[in-house]
Amino acid sequence: MSDEKIREEAKKALRERGLKCVIGWSADGTPFFAETEEDADKLSFNEHCANNLVTYLTQEVRSQRGKTRDGKDKIVKPVGIVVRGCDSKALRLLLNENILSRSEVFIIGVPCTGVVDKRAGDVLYRKCVKCAMRNPVVYDVLASDQVPEDEKDYSEVEAIENMSPEERWTFWEEIFADCIRCHACKRSCPVCYCDECLLDPTDVAIRPDTTADEKAHRPRWVERSVNVRENLVYHLARMPHLAGRCVDCGECERVCPQRLPLRLLTAKLEKDVKKIFNYEAACEDGQKPLIAMSKMEDENEFIM
Amino acid sequence: MSGSQAAGSTEQGAASAEAAEKEFEPKIVAFLCNWCSYAGADLAGVSRLQYPPNIRIIRVMCSGRISPMLVLRALKDGADGVLVSGCHPGDCHYLKGNLYTRRNLQLLRSMLEYYGIEADRFQMSWVSASEGGKFADVVKTAVEKVRKLGPNNKFKVIDSADGGE
Ligand code: SF4
Ligand code: SF4
Ligand code: SF4
């Protein structure tokens, strides 16, 4: 049912809207880029389709941008994508931040009842057990009927908040000792789209006119060496960058090769942002970014 | 005789440990904005107000310059505490720099706590150019708070206790 609808809509859009491709999943859950109408027959959505595809979408659109030799903007062919609820929130955030424009994307939404973790033996991902964003929030067409939403569950975060500071530190210290700083979490994150990431000292955009001096003196906020201290700073520093932007889609946790419970961080951040600023990432179209706003009446109590 | 020597050395050891504890002098990096807090610090100096010499002042044009990265970098590179000070809300020379910073850094503070790191390692204050006395008080409070927390060890861990996995 929903597979047929996805395929039909993908074909129609490839034909009528001149899409570059439709990014979706194949039946075994791997990401699949359908460039022709025959390809589109392989698109599918089922509980194995766990990847958040929005990062691919940004790459597909951005790679087409640029100037032609005579200085005109290159033509960007719109790109199609199949999104679940959580993906669609990330996508809405990118639209709000003008990273993508609505005319560059064609969105097929699939209401979702959860996807399973292959590595853990096909059990539901933790984020999917209680999900408050099952239905896509931005789409051109919906591939199936909407499904009921759950209440967001912060009980795991609260459990950590209720520990003593020493317990909390031990808990996180062990986790950060296991992080190998492969940067998969930030690479796969749909809202981490910077060309140069300040948390990766090797990540410097080299242009033809970049001098040796610039390469040697690139900022090193975090050293590349892997140890608890650098890992701690890495995971602390990511948080303000994600404040009011992270939609808690859980992609970082899903891709982590060390299986670190990163959503304990992102969910905490989301909870704080709600509590302190009464703000929720991507909860409406055209929303202003949290950090780009300021209010005189923000909480002031912690300041001397 | 050897017994009394041994006793003497343990006593000495205890005494020096105590002294070391007493002598813990926190190093605090203070980021002060050019227009208010730095001028406030200047006034404190000109008025010959006493405050602990534990702070290392870095002047920035606006507290809005203070990204969480700077705070973390200071803590990572050995500071026991960080103080960020700017103009009172509404008085910012650039109108809203301090308000942006307040948002950003409040979240950082709450995340520090969540990680089990004492939130007081990072403190903020508003000090205007005419508040020399307040500046001296702020520094006193900040230093006392950090002194109580002891040295900043959590940002120095290379290997965790169990050596990782
Ligand atoms: S988080 Fe929600 S929308 Fe995303 S895969 Fe899980 S159940 Fe589906
Ligand atoms: S994906 Fe996991 S192991 Fe890799 S940097 Fe992120 S937290 Fe560390
Ligand atoms: S949950 Fe992880 S991958 Fe998803 S938006 Fe937040 S940080 Fe990025």
Side-chain angles (χ1 to χ4, degrees), chain A residues 183-196:
Chain A
H183 294 160
C185 42
K186 77 179 174 65
R187 278 284 169 212
S188 64
C189 172
V191 309
C192 274
Y193 46 66
C194 303
D195 288 333
E196 280 182 54

Side-chain angles (χ1 to χ4, degrees), chain A residues 167-209:
Chain A
E167 284 169 349
R168 278 201 294 265
W169 172 249
T170 321
F171 177 82
W172 287 113
E173 191 188 10
E174 267 170 30
I175 287 174
F176 295 145
D178 287 347
C179 170
I180 55 174
R181 288 259 302 295
C182 62
H183 294 160
C185 42
K186 77 179 174 65
R187 278 284 169 212
S188 64
C189 172
V191 309
C192 274
Y193 46 66
C194 303
D195 288 333
E196 280 182 54
C197 174
L198 97 167
L199 295 175
D200 181 356
T202 62
D203 193 3
V204 43
I206 297 185
R207 301 175 308 274
D209 57 348

Side-chain angles (χ1 to χ4, degrees), chain A residues 156-157 160-161 165-166 168-169 172-174 176-178 198-199 220-223 227-230 232-233 235-237 239-241 243 258 264-265 268-269 272-273 276-277 289-300 302-304, chain B residues 65 67-70 72-73 76-77 83 89-90 96 99-100 102-118 122-127 134 137-138 141-142 145 153-165:
Chain A
E156 283 172 318
V157 172
I160 298 181
E161 285 172 343
E166 277 316 308
R168 278 201 294 265
W169 172 249
W172 287 113
E173 191 188 10
E174 267 170 30
F176 295 145
D178 287 347
L198 97 167
L199 295 175
R220 290 217 194 111
W221 292 104
V222 183
E223 296 296 335
N227 56 47
V228 176
R229 172 177 67 180
E230 304 295 333
L232 165 70
V233 173
H235 286 285
L236 262 173
M239 292 300 121
H241 290 226
Q258 296 291 82
L264 292 178
L265 300 177
K268 160 74 176 169
L269 186 69
D272 271 2
V273 166
I276 305 175
F277 301 113
L290 173 80
I291 297 297
M293 283 191 298
S294 63
K295 287 211 177 101
M296 276 298 275
E297 60 276 13
D298 277 348
E299 193 186 310
N300 203 35
F302 70 107
I303 299 180
M304 286 189 270
Chain B
R65 165 69 183 94
S67 89
M69 252 3 258
L70 292 170
L72 290 174
R73 184 63 188 260
K76 175 160 91 85
D77 286 356
L83 170 69
K96 283 194 206 159
L99 302 185
Y100 292 127
R102 179 170 64 184
R103 285 211 148 180
N104 239 327
L105 295 184
Q106 180 169 13
L107 285 166
L108 181 70
R109 217 178 125 92
S110 136
M111 282 321 274
L112 280 175
E113 253 182 327
Y114 188 62
Y115 285 43
I117 298 166
E118 309 84 355
F122 162 66
Q123 300 176 60
M124 251 181 113
S125 64
W126 305 136
V127 173
K134 178 169 179 193
D137 289 343
V138 161
T141 325
K145 278 187 183 165
N153 290 328
K154 291 183 179 151
F155 277 89
K156 293 195 184 119
V157 184
I158 301 294
D159 286 316
S160 79
D162 66 356
E165 264 167 63

Side-chain angles (χ1 to χ4, degrees), chain A residues 189-191 238 242 246-252 266:
Chain A
C189 172
V191 309
R238 260 198 100 216
L242 295 170
C246 167
V247 295
D248 200 19
C249 70
E251 185 68 359
C252 44
T266 58

Side-chain angles (χ1 to χ4, degrees), chain A residues 89-109:
Chain A
K89 273 196 112 180
L91 180 47
R92 183 196 253 169
L93 188 106
L94 296 177
L95 293 170
N96 285 351
E97 294 188 349
N98 292 326
I99 294 303
L100 300 171
S101 79
R102 192 65 181 83
S103 61
E104 288 168 334
V105 291
F106 174 76
I107 310 165
I108 303 174

